[in-house]
């Protein structure tokens, strides 16, 4: 039960970061990628196995996306991402 809660917290952490990223000046392609990730996370109904898969799949894709746009993020956000 705690594992599922922890994984769901990771989903919501990325939703929050993606929402914040939408407010930054991103290249059109990056802005589109951000919207696509956000739409997927917000519209998905998560089950236990899917949460496990999230942490080794989509979560890593989102993290790589953030590393790719890190120069366009405010310093505090960039520091938080790098501290992971």
């Amino acid at each position: 039960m705690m594992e599922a809660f922890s994984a769901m917290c990771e989903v919501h952490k990325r939703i929050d970061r993606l929402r914040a990223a939408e407010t930054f000046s991103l290249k059109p392609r990056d802005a589109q990628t951000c919207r696509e990730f956000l739409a997927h996370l917000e519209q998905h109904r998560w089950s236990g196995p899917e949460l496990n898969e999230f942490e080794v799949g989509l979560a890593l894709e989102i993290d790589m996306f953030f590393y790719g746009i890190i120069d366009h993020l405010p310093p505090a956000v960039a520091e938080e991402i790098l501290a992971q």
Side-chain angles (χ1 to χ4, degrees), residues 40-76:
H40 181 77
L41 293 179
E42 290 180 327
Q43 295 175 8
H44 195 76
R45 295 179 185 247
W46 298 96
S47 68
E50 289 172 327
L51 286 169
N52 290 336
E53 291 174 14
F54 168 78
E55 292 187 327
V56 296
L58 187 58
L60 294 176
E61 289 180 45
I62 293 170
D63 292 347
M64 289 187 305
F65 166 73
F66 276 112
Y67 283 111
I69 65 167
I70 207 150
D71 292 336
H72 303 286
L73 303 177

Side-chain angles (χ1 to χ4, degrees), residues 9 19 32 34-35 45-47 50 59 67 79-80:
C9 287
R19 284 182 182 156
Q32 178 64 31
C34 183
R35 286 190 299 272
R45 295 179 185 247
W46 298 96
S47 68
E50 289 172 327
Y67 283 111
E79 287 176 20
E80 178 186 331

Side-chain angles (χ1 to χ4, degrees), residues 2-50:
M2 288 304 292
E3 290 176 14
F5 177 76
S6 177
M8 204 63 219
C9 287
E10 290 298 315
V11 170
H12 284 280
K13 178 170 63 174
R14 284 169 180 84
I15 288 173
D16 291 343
R17 286 184 183 161
L18 289 164
R19 284 182 182 156
E22 284 185 311
T23 67
F24 306 141
S25 296
L26 300 177
K27 296 176 186 174
R29 183 177 178 177
D30 292 334
Q32 178 64 31
T33 300
C34 183
R35 286 190 299 272
E36 289 171 0
F37 280 137
L38 191 55
H40 181 77
L41 293 179
E42 290 180 327
Q43 295 175 8
H44 195 76
R45 295 179 185 247
W46 298 96
S47 68
E50 289 172 327

